[in-house]
Amino acid sequence: MAKRNNISTTDFILLGLFPEFQYASLLVYLILLVYLIALTGNSILTFLIWLDVHLHTPMYFLLSQLSLIDLFYISSSVPKMVINHSLGKHSISFIGCGIQMFFCLSLGGAECLLLTFMSYDRFVAICNPLQYTVIMNSKVCLLIAVASWTGGALNSLIQTIYTMHFPICGLKEINHFFCEMPAILKLSCEDTSDYEMVVFVVSIIFILIPFNLIIASYIQIFLTVLKMKSPEGRNKALATCSSHLTVVSLYLGPGIVVYMTPGSSHTPALDQGLSVFYTILTPMLNPIIYSLRNKEVVGALRKVLRKKLVSK
C-alpha cells in the first residue's frame, strides 16, 4: 500500500509480467537478456545490409526495415518493465501509457504491413523473375517502407486517442507488463463493445487480410518452386520462404488470438504470454532466423570479421 500511496491518481499501475509468478526477478532478467540479444542481432543485420553492396537489393532493404521496426518495437516495452522492476516501482503516467501504446500499435501495424510486402517481394522474385527488377525498383521499395511506417502510425494514432478517452473506474491496475490496448479497455467503466467491434474490423485489415495475402503468395511460390528443375535453386527458394513463414507464424498467430477473439474469453496470463511472442520473442528471433539460414548474410558477416582481423 505504501507504494500505491506515492502514485498519482492519474497514473496507471503496471502489475508486470505474470505478477503472481514466484521467480519474477529471474523472468525479468531473462527478458533483459532476450532484449540485449535482439538489439545486437538487429543492429548487426541492419549494419551488414547497409555496409555490403551485395546486399543492396529489394529483399534486403525490406529486411533492414524489419530490423529497424523490431529494434524500436521491443524497446517500446522491455526497458520500462526492467526499470520498474529494478526500482520497485509499478506506475506509468497517463501520458506515458498513451505514448507507449501508440508506439506498440504503430510498430506492430507497420510490421504486419511490411511482412505482407516482403511476401509479395518473394512472390515476384520466384514466380516472375524476369520482371523483378522492373516491378521491385528502388522507388517501389521506398514507397513500401513509407506505406508500412505511415500506415501503422496513422492507425495507431486514431486507436490510441480513442482508447485513452474512455473513463477508468476504480483502481487503474493494468494486469500486463505494458500498456496494451485490450488491457486498457478492460479497465473502462463504460461499455466498450462497440469499440471492440471497431478494433476487430481494424484487425481484419492489419492482421487477417495480410495473413491471407501472405498465405496466397506462398501457395503460388511453392507451386512454382516444385516446377523448378534446379535442386540448388529449389532449396534456396524454400529456405528463404520458410524463414519468412516462420516469422509470420510467430508474429501474426498470437496477434490474431489477442485482437480478434472476444476479450472476455482471455485470461490476463494468456494475453501476457501471447504478447511476449510478438513484442519480445519475434524481434529477437527475426535476425537469427534470417541470418543463420542465409548464406549471403553469413558471407557478409565473415567479410567484416576478416577485415577487422586483418586490420589488427
Side-chain angles (χ1 to χ4, degrees):
M1 288 298 293
K3 289 181 180 178
R4 290 181 183 174
N5 290 336
N6 294 327
I7 296 173
S8 167
T9 55
T10 60
D11 287 353
F12 288 98
I13 301 168
L14 287 170
L15 296 183
L17 181 62
F18 308 133
E20 297 180 359
F21 185 60
Q22 185 177 358
Y23 304 103
S25 295
L26 178 62
L27 187 61
V28 170
Y29 293 127
L30 181 62
I31 289 175
L32 177 60
L33 176 61
V34 170
Y35 175 64
L36 295 175
I37 294 172
L39 282 184
T40 304
N42 284 291
S43 298
I44 290 174
L45 187 55
T46 304
F47 174 72
L48 289 175
I49 293 171
W50 172 78
L51 186 67
D52 195 320
V53 293
H54 295 99
L55 301 181
H56 292 178
T57 63
M59 183 180 79
Y60 290 110
F61 172 76
L62 297 180
L63 183 54
S64 70
Q65 295 300 304
L66 181 65
S67 289
L68 286 174
I69 288 173
D70 284 337
L71 276 171
F72 291 118
Y73 199 10
I74 194 170
S75 297
S76 64
S77 60
V78 172
K80 176 64 177 175
M81 177 178 63
V82 174
I83 290 171
N84 276 5
H85 180 79
S86 300
L87 298 179
K89 295 173 61 178
H90 300 275
S91 65
I92 183 170
S93 68
F94 180 85
I95 294 176
C97 188
I99 291 173
Q100 188 180 60
M101 187 191 301
F102 168 78
F103 279 108
C104 288
L105 285 174
S106 178
L107 295 162
E111 184 151 344
C112 288
L113 295 174
L114 186 62
L115 287 172
T116 309
F117 287 126
M118 289 175 72
S119 70
Y120 176 71
D121 170 75
R122 291 300 84 207
F123 166 75
V124 176
I126 295 171
C127 299
N128 198 4
L130 296 178
Q131 296 293 317
Y132 182 70
T133 55
V134 177
I135 297 173
M136 296 299 296
N137 57 59
S138 57
K139 289 183 180 179
V140 170
C141 291
L142 183 60
L143 183 62
I144 285 174
V146 171
S148 298
W149 288 88
T150 305
L154 289 176
N155 169 64
S156 177
L157 182 63
I158 296 169
Q159 298 261 37
T160 300
I161 292 173
Y162 205 84
T163 300
M164 297 302 287
H165 99 282
F166 283 109
I168 306 298
C169 297
L171 291 174
K172 297 183 178 181
E173 291 185 340
I174 304 173
N175 202 339
H176 217 307
F177 62 93
F178 71 103
C179 291
E180 189 165 35
M181 180 176 60
I184 300 294
L185 290 177
K186 288 180 180 180
L187 301 181
S188 175
C189 50
E190 285 188 2
D191 181 15
T192 61
S193 56
D194 289 340
Y195 180 58
E196 286 175 6
M197 183 56 64
V198 173
V199 173
F200 179 80
V201 173
V202 172
S203 298
I204 291 176
I205 297 171
F206 277 86
I207 300 177
L208 195 58
I209 291 178
F211 183 74
N212 287 329
L213 288 174
I214 291 168
I215 295 300
S217 295
Y218 279 105
I219 289 174
Q220 292 296 319
I221 288 171
F222 284 130
L223 291 175
T224 302
V225 167
L226 290 175
K227 297 176 184 177
M228 288 183 176
K229 295 180 180 179
S230 168
E232 184 180 347
R234 190 188 302 123
N235 292 336
K236 183 178 179 181
L238 287 174
T240 303
C241 296
S242 61
S243 297
H244 191 186
L245 277 176
T246 302
V247 171
V248 168
S249 301
L250 290 172
Y251 183 72
L252 293 183
I256 290 173
V257 177
V258 172
Y259 286 94
M260 300 195 68
T261 58
S264 57
S265 65
H266 301 176
T267 63
L270 175 64
D271 281 343
Q272 290 177 39
L274 291 173
S275 296
V276 167
F277 271 93
Y278 54 81
T279 61
I280 298 175
L281 292 182
T282 303
M284 178 198 71
L285 292 173
N286 279 352
I288 297 173
I289 290 171
Y290 280 107
S291 300
L292 293 180
R293 303 193 66 180
N294 192 303
K295 293 180 180 178
E296 292 170 328
V297 173
V298 173
L301 181 59
R302 285 174 179 168
K303 287 180 186 177
V304 172
L305 293 176
R306 280 198 209 103
K307 286 180 180 179
K308 287 190 174 182
L309 289 173
V310 170
S311 63
K312 289 181 180 180

